[in-house]
Amino acid sequence: MLRQGSSDDIEDVSLFDADDEVSRRSKKSKIRHPVASFFHLFFRVSAIVVYLLCELLTSSFIACMVTIILLLSCDFWAVKNVTGRLMVGLRWWNQVDDDGRSHWRFESRKVSAQGRKTSSESESRIFWLGLITCPIIWVIFAFSALFSFKVKWLAVVMMGVVLQGANLYGYIRCKVGSRKNLTSMATSYLGKQFLRQTVAKEDQTAS
């Protein structure tokens, strides 16, 4: 009876493992945190839309400026404290010790004991797409405001660059690691590009 019971237990576990494997495969492409994914894009896209359409909607610069800054502030808080932790398992923050020294902390969620990813691929794409694309758009707005001499809008645009650029930098540090790792990766990439160009030139001269 004991042997039979033990074999039954083993069979049950194998069946549950198979069910878990099927469910994991089906959840890879699903969005596990739809609310977080929505607000990850809502505030930053809304700030861009308001910036583009504010002169058509109202003639009050103060109202547009306050609305954009509020949207950017909400986006900074939501991305830094909520969406990054839920969607990709990353977080960063500033900590002040007892001596009054400021320390920046960059953390990434550890992989589970079975080696499974805790975040879905769809959420990861949404997170990084919104995190990288929107700061680039604000940089374009900054150059546009500078060259078109819209000085009053330059402060608003720079606020978007700073707030969204800070989140981008923080999460890249969480993903890559320390600043030394980031520098070494950039140096390695430049070295490979230089080596390829050198080999290509040598092939051209030899031919």
Side-chain angles (χ1 to χ4, degrees):
M1 293 295 294
L2 292 176
R3 291 183 180 179
Q4 184 177 0
S6 61
S7 64
D8 290 341
D9 293 340
I10 294 173
E11 291 177 359
D12 291 340
V13 172
S14 64
L15 288 175
F16 288 140
D17 290 340
D19 293 339
D20 292 340
E21 183 67 23
V22 173
S23 63
R24 286 197 299 269
R25 289 178 181 176
S26 62
K27 289 181 179 178
K28 277 186 177 180
S29 59
K30 291 184 178 180
I31 298 176
R32 300 172 58 188
H33 305 94
V35 177
S37 300
F38 172 77
F39 283 104
H40 177 72
L41 299 176
F42 174 75
F43 291 119
R44 53 184 51 213
V45 172
S46 298
I48 293 173
V49 171
V50 172
Y51 176 80
L52 292 174
L53 301 179
C54 61
E55 293 183 351
L56 300 176
L57 298 176
T58 180
S59 59
S60 175
F61 169 74
I62 300 299
C64 295
M65 181 185 68
V66 171
T67 303
I68 294 172
I69 291 177
L70 284 176
L71 289 171
L72 290 173
S73 301
C74 292
D75 170 75
F76 178 81
W77 182 89
V79 173
K80 178 179 177 295
N81 297 307
V82 181
T83 63
R85 178 174 55 85
L86 294 178
M87 297 175 68
V88 291
L90 303 174
R91 66 174 181 174
W92 64 276
W93 76 97
N94 181 265
Q95 182 180 3
V96 180
D97 57 15
D98 297 334
D99 298 330
R101 296 179 180 178
S102 179
H103 301 278
W104 292 97
R105 306 293 184 186
F106 304 92
E107 291 186 351
S108 60
R109 183 183 298 161
K110 295 181 180 180
V111 181
S112 61
Q114 292 80 10
R116 301 195 305 263
K117 292 183 179 180
T118 55
S119 59
S120 67
E121 296 178 358
S122 299
E123 286 184 347
S124 180
R125 292 193 190 98
I126 293 173
F127 179 83
W128 289 108
L129 181 64
L131 193 70
I132 295 173
T133 304
C134 292
I136 295 175
I137 295 175
W138 283 109
V139 171
I140 296 173
F141 288 163
F143 282 105
S144 176
L146 182 64
F147 291 131
S148 59
F149 301 102
K150 295 181 179 179
V151 181
K152 64 178 182 179
W153 287 107
L154 191 59
V156 179
V157 172
M158 291 306 299
M159 182 70 69
V161 173
V162 171
L163 290 179
Q164 297 195 355
N167 265 327
L168 177 60
Y169 174 76
Y171 281 113
I172 289 178
R173 287 286 304 273
C174 293
K175 185 70 174 179
V176 176
S178 62
R179 186 176 300 176
K180 293 182 180 179
N181 295 335
L182 188 61
T183 305
S184 64
M185 287 182 63
T187 305
S188 176
Y189 175 78
L190 293 176
K192 290 180 180 178
Q193 295 297 324
F194 178 76
L195 182 61
R196 289 178 181 176
Q197 293 179 0
T198 304
V199 173
K201 289 181 180 177
E202 291 180 354
D203 293 339
Q204 291 178 358
T205 55
S207 59

